[in-house]
Amino acid sequence: ILVVVCWTIGGNAGLAAAYSARKLGVSCTVVVPGTTPAFMVERLREERAVVEICGDVGASDYLHYLTIIIIIH
């Protein structure tokens, strides 16, 4: 099983990962901060990504992202 997990601040890297994952037929989880614009969250979901919204852009949120990777893998 291949799973793509991506931490992104503005959403562009996540959108690229979500698009690629959809084309490859694999799951994708994108972790974004709460400051990510709503249109980008919706766009990620349109690409069939699971979107995790967590806090801000700080270190604790990055640790949340790493926790997701550990749980998935």
Side-chain angles (χ1 to χ4, degrees):
I1 295 176
L2 177 62
V3 178
V4 176
V5 180
C6 179
W7 162 260
T8 179
I9 294 173
N12 290 329
L15 188 57
Y19 172 84
S20 299
R22 182 178 57 78
K23 287 294 192 177
L24 292 170
V26 298
S27 299
C28 180
T29 299
V30 180
V31 181
V32 297
T35 56
T36 302
F39 79 88
M40 183 58 79
V41 173
E42 182 60 32
R43 191 66 190 91
L44 290 165
R45 290 182 175 141
E46 287 173 2
E47 291 294 342
R48 300 186 199 137
V50 174
V51 181
E52 290 274 340
I53 301 172
C54 65
D56 206 348
V57 188
S60 64
D61 301 311
Y62 186 70
L63 290 175
H64 175 74
Y65 158 71
L66 294 177
T67 303
I68 291 172
I69 292 176
I70 292 168
I71 290 170
I72 290 176
H73 292 93

